[in-house]
Amino acid sequence: NAGVTQTPKFQVLKTGQSMTLQCAQDMNHNSMYWYRQDPGMGLRLIYYSASEGTTDKGEVPNGYNVSRLNKREFSLRLESAAPSQTSVYFCASSSSKAIQYFGAGTRLSVL
Amino acid sequence: DAKTTQPTSMDCAEGRAANLPCNHSTISGNEYVYWYRQIHSQGPQYIIHGLKNNETNEMASLIITEDRKSSTLILPHATLRDTAVYYCIVRVARNAGNMLTFGGGTRLMVKP
């Protein structure tokens, strides 16, 4: 049982490049989330999708876009990466009990 | 969602119980207390949650005071692998869109 799978695990970008972080869950959860975690800090919500076909902004959405491709997949796109987006990105999904399950994270460096 | 206050760090001897406190004095009647932990470089992991009764599972116990203004997470026999940052989160358990607001958490160091 894979749970929440994120790809890639590591990525280095140059300023201005674009990329998409992929996330997939196999637990049939309705809700999915993208967080970022800067060094020594707690997680901050970027975007979430309460159900298939819907997305909403979180605390720090600027510079990001998301797509809820289907119930399983929720991707995060950086159109023009900036050094301030250097962070660890976590995807999560949740059941109706509000218990979230997290992926292993994507470590992104923007030079 | 109600705000929580946790100590920044705590130490615990291996094999002893680790008691991690959390204050949530502004908690509302329909808000649950959730505990997660994050072991270094990994994604957060759900531990336990409760509304007003004490709860126990295979990982930990959760003690909530009668007025619900504070709670304690208990790891009964801490091991070195329990070294992590522990987050106490208070929120309503909706059917969808259950965002979590992570504060600073408590950095627990389990020592041999």
Side-chain angles (χ1 to χ4, degrees), chain B:
Chain B
D1 298 334
K3 182 182 165 109
T4 62
T5 304
Q6 298 177 252
T8 303
S9 64
M10 294 180 64
D11 290 343
C12 177
E14 187 179 20
R16 306 296 293 267
N19 297 284
L20 291 91
C22 180
N23 287 321
H24 32 79
S25 59
T26 60
I27 192 170
S28 300
N30 61 347
E31 288 182 313
Y32 286 71
V33 180
Y34 292 83
W35 282 85
Y36 285 75
R37 73 180 182 183
Q38 187 173 24
I39 297 170
H40 181 62
S41 299
Q42 299 181 20
Q45 176 189 25
Y46 164 79
I47 301 172
I48 198 167
H49 76 287
L51 182 63
K52 54 183 177 181
N53 296 324
N54 297 338
E55 302 287 345
T56 295
N57 63 19
E58 64 278 4
M59 290 182 69
S61 294
L62 174 60
I63 308 298
I64 302 174
T65 57
E66 193 168 341
D67 64 8
R68 301 208 324 122
K69 293 185 177 182
S70 66
S71 60
T72 301
L73 177 75
I74 301 172
L75 307 178
H77 305 287
T79 70
L80 298 179
R81 286 177 293 183
D82 291 321
T83 292
V85 178
Y86 287 77
Y87 296 99
C88 169
I89 298 167
V90 172
R91 64 148 302 114
V92 174
R94 285 193 290 262
N95 286 332
N98 294 292
M99 299 80 73
L100 298 176
T101 300
F102 287 82
T106 296
R107 186 172 299 275
L108 175 69
M109 180 73 71
V110 180
K111 298 183 175 180

Side-chain angles (χ1 to χ4, degrees), chain A residues 4-50:
Chain A
V4 178
T5 303
Q6 292 183 234
T7 56
K9 288 184 168 48
F10 301 93
Q11 184 70 50
V12 178
L13 294 177
K14 294 181 180 178
T15 297
Q17 287 185 316
S18 62
M19 79 160 296
T20 299
L21 281 65
Q22 307 286 354
C23 176
Q25 53 94 7
D26 61 3
M27 295 173 282
N28 201 37
H29 287 164
N30 286 322
S31 300
M32 297 185 73
Y33 313 82
W34 276 105
Y35 294 88
R36 63 176 285 175
Q37 185 173 34
D38 299 328
M41 306 288 288
L43 280 73
R44 292 184 293 171
L45 183 67
I46 304 172
Y47 270 94
Y48 70 98
S49 171

Side-chain angles (χ1 to χ4, degrees), chain A residues 44-61:
Chain A
R44 292 184 293 171
L45 183 67
I46 304 172
Y47 270 94
Y48 70 98
S49 171
S51 61
E52 187 178 355
T54 69
T55 61
D56 285 286
K57 295 179 180 179
E59 181 185 356
V60 289

